[in-house]
Amino acid sequence: MTAVPQSTGRELTSPPTDGISNLRFSNHSDNLLVSSWDKSVRLYDASANALRGEFMHGGAVLDCCFHDDSSGFTACADHTVRRLVFNHSREDILGRHDAPVRCIEYSYATGQVITGSWDKTLKCWDPRGSSGQERSLIGTYTQPERVYSLSLVGNRLVVATAGRHVNVYDLRNMNQPEQRRESSLKYQTRCVRCYPNGTGYALSSVEGRVAMEFFDLSEAGQSKKYAFKCHRKSEAGRDIVYPVNSIAFHPIYGTFATGGCDGYVNVWDGNNKKRLYQYPKYPTGIAALSFSRDGRLLAVASSYTYEEGDKPHEPDAIFVRSVNEVEVKPKPKMLPNPAT
Amino acid sequence: MPPRKELCRNFQRGSCRYGDHCKFLHDTPPQSQSSPFGFGTQTGTQFQHTNPQQQKPNPFGFGVQHNAQVRGANDFGSRPNQFKPFENKWTRFSPLNTNSSSSLRQSDSQTSAPNHKCTDPESCKRQIIEDFENERPLWKLTCYGHNKNGPCDIVGDISYEELRALAYDEAKRGLSLQSIIERERSLLNSKLVEFQSLVQKPYAISSNASISTQNSVAGVSPNTPTTIQSGSPPSVSTFGQLGASLNTSRMFGAASSYTFGQSHSFQNYSQASSTFQGNNSPAISSHQNPFSTSTISSHMPTAAYNPAEVPMSGANSALDVTKSIQLMNNTHSGNSNMDNSIWMKAEWKIGEVN
C-alpha cells in the first residue's frame, strides 16, 4: 500500500518481521527476493506489491540470490547454503560451512553458486546435482579473514573480508587469487560491488567512504582510482560518520546508488565524480538496495542494521520506488578547467 | 613567470613526471581543492603544511593517486624508507603499495614488519590523531589501518551482523538481554581503549595486538565487564567521555529500555552493586575485586554463569559463547576501559554505584 506517496516509494506489504539482510531483483522479472533475520526468505512481486512465497530456515538468512525466475539460493546463519524452488515451495540444503554463511552469488558464466562465510572460506557449489555436500561442493578457498562481501561480474569475483583484505579471483582459475589487495579505505569494509562494465569495483566502508577501484593494474588503470566521502552529517564542526551498507549499480547507465546508516540513498556518477541525486530520508538506516533489471525500480530495505547494538528502532520496511531518468542518468561532462 | 608560480596539478596528484624539471610549482596548495560532496577535498588540513617529502597520507579526495603501480619489484626492494625531495613518487611507490600481484613479496614484508614504513612517525601519528578527531565512524568495532592499501593497525574487526548473530544466539541460549548488552559494551570499551593506545603509541601496534589475551574475551562476560589491568591512562578520558556519552545515549541498549528487574544472571559489577538484587552467588562475590590487576578473567566464564537462577545449559555454553567471540575478535586487550563510572553510569541509574 502506498504508505507515503512517492517520497519514499511504495512500501511492500507483509515485510519481514525482523531486520532485512539483503534484497535482490530478479534478472527476468520484477520479482524481489528478500532475506531477513526473522529466518525467512520471501519472494515478492514488486510491481504488484504482493507476497508470492515464503521459506523459513533454521537461522537468520544473511543473503539470497536468484538463479532463474523460479529458483534461488540462500545463505543462512545456521551454516547452511540452501537451494529454493519457488513454484513448488521446495527447498533443500546444498551444502554447509563451518560458520554462518554471509554472502552468496550465482555465477551465470560458470553455473556455480559461490558462498562466502565467517569461517574464512569461499566455497563453490554445483547446484544441479542432487543435494549433499559431497556431490555439490566444487572447491573451498581459504581467505585471509572472514568474508564480508562478494561480487561477481563476468568471470571475475571480488571478495572483501574482515581486516580490509580484498581478493580478486578469476572464476576459471580459483586456485589462487588473481589479485590480493588491501582496501584503500581505512576502516572495516561493508560492501563491494563490481561495475557492470567489468572494469573495476566499488568498495564501501564503515567510515562513510566509497573507493572506486580498477582491476587493471597498469599505471593508466590505477590512475583512475579514487575515493570519496559520503553519508556523513556535519554537526558542530565534526562529522558524524555513517557506515555505507550497500551499493547498487544501475544496470543501464552504470551509475550507482549507495545506502547508509543515515537513512539516505544517494545516486552517484562514478565517471564524472558527482552526486546525481539524493532520495528523501528513509525511516531508518538502509540495509540493502537493488535496481530492477531494467533500472526502472529501486528497492530499498529500510531496516535497522544493529550498528548501535540493540535498541528500539523504526519497523523494518521495504520500499520500491520508480526511478526517474533524471535521478540516475549521467550528466554530460563539464568542460575541462581552463587553467593549464 | 605565471607557469612558475602556478601549482603543478600533476604533482598534487602525485603523477608529475618532470620532478625537479617541471616548470610548474611543486608545492602543496592551501586547501584549494574542494567541491561538493567532499570530492577532492583534503581532510588533513594540518598536513598541508608539512614537508611534502614526508610520506603524506593520501588526502581523501578525487583525483588522488592511491599508491598506484609499483614500477618494479626492484624499486620496492631498494627503497624501503627513502623519499627524495620533490619526487612525488612517494604517493605511488609507497612501500605499502600492494596492488599488483607481483607485489606479493611486498605484502609479505609488510605483514612481517611490525613497524610500518613511514619515514616520519610524527606525521603518521598526526594522521592517526586527525583521523580519530574528525572521522571516527559510528561503528566502533572496526579494524583500522592508517595507511591505505596497507595492513591494519588495529585488528579485530567485528561486523554488526556478527554481533547481532551472536546476540541472537545468546538470547536463544537463555542469556538475559542485560548480559548480552554488557558483553557488547565491554567489547566496545576495549576497542575504544585500543584506539586510544594507538594514538598514543603508534608503533606499539604489534604489541597491542599481542596484548589481547584470550582472557579478555572471557572477561567480556558480564561478571566483570572490565578486566582491569592497571590504572587508566589519563587520556582515556577523551574516549572515556565518548564512551560515556555513547553509553548513555546510544550504544548498545540505552539502559533505560531494560529494567533491572531481570533476575537472571544478574551479575554484580562491583561491591557497591551488592545493594542490588541479591543474586550474588557466592562464587561471584568472591570475584568482587575486579579492580585488582590480576587477570581474573581466565576463570570468569565459568564463574559468570554460575548463578543458580540462570537456566543455562552449563558453563559450556558460556565458553562457547566466549570462544565464538574469540573467533571474531581476538585482540580485545585486557586493558578494557578502566573507567567504571562510564558503564556504570549508563547502566545503573538507580542508586549510586561508586
Side-chain angles (χ1 to χ4, degrees), chain A residues 34-104:
Chain A
V34 179
S35 57
S36 163
W37 286 84
D38 68 355
K39 308 189 196 169
S40 75
V41 183
R42 294 172 195 231
L43 180 70
Y44 293 90
D45 181 338
S47 315
N49 192 357
L51 176 66
R52 295 270 183 240
E54 181 174 353
F55 289 89
M56 298 303 290
H57 289 345
V61 190
L62 299 179
D63 200 359
C64 57
C65 69
F66 272 100
H67 173 208
D68 55 28
D69 218 29
S70 65
S71 59
F73 304 99
T74 58
C76 194
D78 64 359
H79 312 189
T80 58
V81 180
R82 288 172 207 242
R83 173 171 60 176
L84 317 171
V85 183
F86 305 126
N87 302 337
H88 307 130
S89 293
R90 247 199 356 241
E91 60 154 297
D92 58 358
I93 294 181
L94 194 57
R96 282 172 207 279
H97 274 266
D98 299 324
V101 190
R102 176 68 182 88
C103 342
I104 188 165

Side-chain angles (χ1 to χ4, degrees), chain B residues 3-158:
Chain B
R4 289 278 162 81
K5 284 204 190 145
E6 239 184 73
L7 293 171
C8 175
R9 272 171 42 200
N10 286 334
F11 177 73
Q12 289 166 33
R13 289 194 205 130
S15 64
C16 181
R17 294 177 212 180
Y18 299 102
D20 261 350
H21 307 299
C22 183
K23 62 178 177 172
F24 296 107
L25 197 56
H26 280 189
D27 198 357
T28 49
Q31 216 169 16
S32 48
Q33 326 155 11
S34 61
S35 62
F37 319 129
F39 292 3
T41 50
Q42 302 225 356
T43 51
T45 54
Q46 300 171 355
F47 298 110
Q48 301 291 349
H49 310 296
T50 60
N51 194 339
Q53 66 193 77
Q54 292 165 2
Q55 175 164 2
K56 195 169 170 176
N58 289 323
F60 302 122
F62 281 113
V64 172
Q65 296 285 346
H66 287 262
N67 306 329
Q69 188 73 353
V70 174
R71 246 192 227 153
N74 322 335
D75 269 356
F76 172 68
S78 63
R79 47 177 309 172
N81 282 320
Q82 300 162 8
F83 298 95
K84 309 194 180 83
F86 300 117
E87 191 160 278
N88 43 3
K89 291 187 200 152
W90 51 259
T91 53
R92 277 202 234 128
F93 300 150
S94 141
L96 299 149
N97 179 9
T98 51
N99 279 347
S100 58
S101 45
S102 65
S103 61
L104 280 182
R105 176 158 65 86
Q106 299 166 16
S107 50
D108 284 346
S109 59
Q110 284 176 39
T111 48
S112 59
N115 294 326
H116 87 96
K117 297 182 166 108
C118 293
T119 47
D120 187 355
E122 269 313 302
S123 82
C124 289
K125 177 164 179 171
R126 239 176 290 142
Q127 179 188 5
I128 295 177
I129 295 175
E130 176 85 11
D131 280 344
F132 291 172
E133 275 277 312
N134 297 342
E135 297 198 326
R136 226 174 357 214
L138 197 66
W139 177 249
K140 304 290 174 211
L141 296 173
T142 166
C143 57
Y144 171 69
H146 76 284
N147 259 295
K148 305 178 181 185
N149 297 111
C152 292
D153 298 323
I154 293 182
V155 295
D157 231 343
I158 306 186

Side-chain angles (χ1 to χ4, degrees), chain B residues 210-221:
Chain B
S210 59
I211 279 176
S212 65
T213 58
Q214 299 192 343
N215 296 337
S216 68
V217 170
V220 140
S221 75

Side-chain angles (χ1 to χ4, degrees), chain A residues 4-214:
Chain A
V4 186
Q6 270 320 100
S7 66
T8 46
R10 200 178 52 227
E11 187 169 346
L12 281 187
T13 50
S14 345
T17 53
D18 200 348
I20 295 162
S21 51
N22 200 5
L23 44 66
R24 298 226 205 197
F25 268 107
S26 158
N27 283 335
H28 310 275
S29 70
D30 283 345
N31 282 343
L32 186 68
L33 191 62
V34 179
S35 57
S36 163
W37 286 84
D38 68 355
K39 308 189 196 169
S40 75
V41 183
R42 294 172 195 231
L43 180 70
Y44 293 90
D45 181 338
S47 315
N49 192 357
L51 176 66
R52 295 270 183 240
E54 181 174 353
F55 289 89
M56 298 303 290
H57 289 345
V61 190
L62 299 179
D63 200 359
C64 57
C65 69
F66 272 100
H67 173 208
D68 55 28
D69 218 29
S70 65
S71 59
F73 304 99
T74 58
C76 194
D78 64 359
H79 312 189
T80 58
V81 180
R82 288 172 207 242
R83 173 171 60 176
L84 317 171
V85 183
F86 305 126
N87 302 337
H88 307 130
S89 293
R90 247 199 356 241
E91 60 154 297
D92 58 358
I93 294 181
L94 194 57
R96 282 172 207 279
H97 274 266
D98 299 324
V101 190
R102 176 68 182 88
C103 342
I104 188 165
E105 284 285 350
Y106 177 70
S107 162
Y108 288 91
T110 56
Q112 292 175 14
V113 178
I114 301 166
T115 55
S117 162
W118 292 336
D119 65 359
K120 307 190 189 181
T121 65
L122 205 67
K123 290 193 196 236
C124 290
W125 311 88
D126 179 352
R128 294 166 299 179
S130 46
S131 61
Q133 190 159 330
E134 326 78 43
R135 305 268 181 84
S136 45
L137 180 64
I138 297 174
T140 302
Y141 311 101
T142 316
Q143 302 301 309
E145 256 283 7
R146 295 153 280 147
V147 178
Y148 281 169
S149 183
L150 280 187
S151 178
L152 280 175
V153 67
N155 275 315
R156 273 216 175 90
L157 169 71
V158 182
V159 183
T161 69
R164 297 162 58 238
H165 301 287
V166 176
N167 277 343
V168 180
Y169 283 89
D170 184 331
L171 287 173
R172 298 164 293 197
N173 176 16
M174 292 289 292
N175 292 322
Q176 58 171 15
E178 188 187 354
Q179 297 173 22
R180 258 184 261 260
R181 298 174 163 193
E182 303 275 336
S183 152
S184 54
L185 302 177
K186 297 188 177 182
Y187 288 89
Q188 180 182 106
T189 309
R190 276 301 293 160
C191 175
V192 70
R193 286 285 177 267
C194 294
Y195 307 156
N197 64 6
T199 56
Y201 59 93
L203 194 133
S204 76
S205 76
V206 298
E207 79 206 78
R209 271 206 172 79
V210 174
M212 307 295 286
E213 307 264 3
F214 293 88

